[in-house]
Amino acid sequence: MFEEIAVVDSCWGSGMLKIVIDEQNALYRHGLEMLLKQIFSAEMNVTVEIVTLNETNIATADIIFKNYDVGVSCICQPLLHTRRKNSLVIGLYEGSKNPRYAELPLCITDIAFVNRAEPVNKTKTTIMRGWEDCRAAQEQKKQWSCLDCRHRTLSPQQVKIAAHFYRGDTTEKIASELQINPKTVGAHKRMIMTKFNLNTDFELLTFLNNLLKEKRTLELFNQSLEAN
């Protein structure tokens, strides 16, 4: 069944499968590229183009591999709003925390997740199954609205506090600069961590670092720090 779908798709458009990858680990990325070429080029005789994820490439991609470290699956991904209707998104994550499908923004509810520690055969199965499901359902995708989305955001005060934590400021220093009680700072930190399923300071900093990849969040962080 999968092979039949793949053959049909290889004749679609330019006849080339475009894959974009968002992955900083060079070794893992190399292994992933080799696996993708094995699946689509060697086994299915489909021409594959693999490029780095950016705003231009994502709009024409057939398969999108996106980094989804802890907490990121809860936030809006504006870059994904420009993807093709029938493209497949595969989220890459690590650790024992499986992203919760019930918390995903509407624009990625059809995502498939791959744990970086999974064996190659399991990763291959996930990719193949996701691609098959994506092709089969391309005519049945429902329209969604950002107004109905359940993605999570930081409040204005949480943005200020998060920006200071990211800079490395202590609770006491943040309280002093924002002229609030240290307990209030601690309470906001706990609310941020609970909202995005974060358990440790390391997970918090990793999450904030991923937030900074979004231009809108970066501007808010800079404005918060410049105001103090």
Side-chain angles (χ1 to χ4, degrees):
M1 177 65 177
F2 178 73
E3 293 179 356
E4 293 175 355
I5 293 175
V7 170
V8 171
D9 286 338
S10 68
C11 300
W12 173 60
S14 64
M16 176 180 291
L17 195 67
K18 186 171 183 178
I19 302 174
V20 297
I21 299 178
D22 170 35
E23 176 56 46
Q24 299 303 314
N25 186 314
L27 183 62
Y28 184 84
R29 181 189 175 102
H30 176 71
L32 183 59
E33 290 182 1
M34 295 295 290
L35 176 61
L36 291 169
K37 290 176 181 178
Q38 176 191 332
I39 294 173
F40 295 106
S41 296
E43 298 182 9
M44 301 180 183
N45 199 29
V46 177
T47 303
V48 174
E49 177 188 13
I50 301 177
V51 295
T52 300
L53 186 149
N54 60 40
E55 191 171 352
T56 301
N57 290 332
I58 202 169
T60 57
D62 298 295
I63 302 178
I64 302 160
F65 285 86
K66 184 78 171 63
N67 174 42
Y68 274 90
D69 286 324
V70 63
V72 177
S73 61
C74 300
I75 65 175
C76 180
Q77 302 285 316
L79 195 60
L80 291 178
H81 294 183
T82 62
R83 70 183 176 106
R84 288 164 53 163
K85 180 181 178 182
N86 57 344
S87 61
L88 168 65
V89 180
I90 296 182
L92 302 173
Y93 75 100
E94 58 188 357
S96 58
K97 284 187 177 180
N98 296 323
R100 303 175 183 176
Y101 281 89
E103 299 172 346
L104 295 175
L106 291 177
C107 56
I108 57 169
T109 51
D110 54 351
I111 194 172
F113 284 103
V114 168
N115 191 312
R116 291 185 181 88
E118 289 177 355
V120 174
N121 61 339
K122 186 174 181 180
T123 299
K124 180 179 179 179
T125 298
T126 300
I127 295 172
M128 294 176 67
R129 184 175 297 155
W131 181 245
E132 180 179 354
D133 291 345
C134 183
R135 308 316 331 144
Q138 61 179 313
E139 300 300 331
Q140 305 171 15
K141 291 203 172 183
K142 298 179 180 179
Q143 295 294 325
W144 50 266
S145 169
C146 289
L147 296 176
D148 301 323
C149 190
R150 50 182 170 264
H151 72 271
R152 301 176 185 182
T153 59
L154 294 171
S155 69
Q157 184 74 327
Q158 288 172 352
V159 169
K160 294 179 183 179
I161 291 173
H164 282 281
F165 273 121
Y166 185 79
R167 190 169 67 176
D169 294 342
T170 64
T171 298
E172 291 71 22
K173 184 176 181 180
I174 297 172
S176 176
E177 293 196 11
L178 298 182
Q179 298 183 344
I180 57 179
N181 192 296
K183 291 184 178 180
T184 302
V185 175
H188 276 294
K189 180 183 178 182
R190 288 192 296 274
M191 284 190 286
I192 293 172
M193 296 182 73
T194 299
K195 183 184 295 186
F196 296 100
N197 304 318
L198 310 172
N199 293 332
T200 66
D201 286 350
F202 175 77
E203 288 186 352
L204 174 61
L205 291 176
T206 300
F207 171 69
L208 295 179
N209 185 60
N210 284 317
L211 273 185
L212 286 174
K213 294 178 182 179
E214 299 292 339
K215 184 177 179 181
R216 293 179 305 173
T217 307
L218 178 59
E219 291 172 350
L220 289 172
F221 271 33
N222 289 337
Q223 290 170 6
S224 297
L225 294 174
E226 289 170 359
N228 294 284

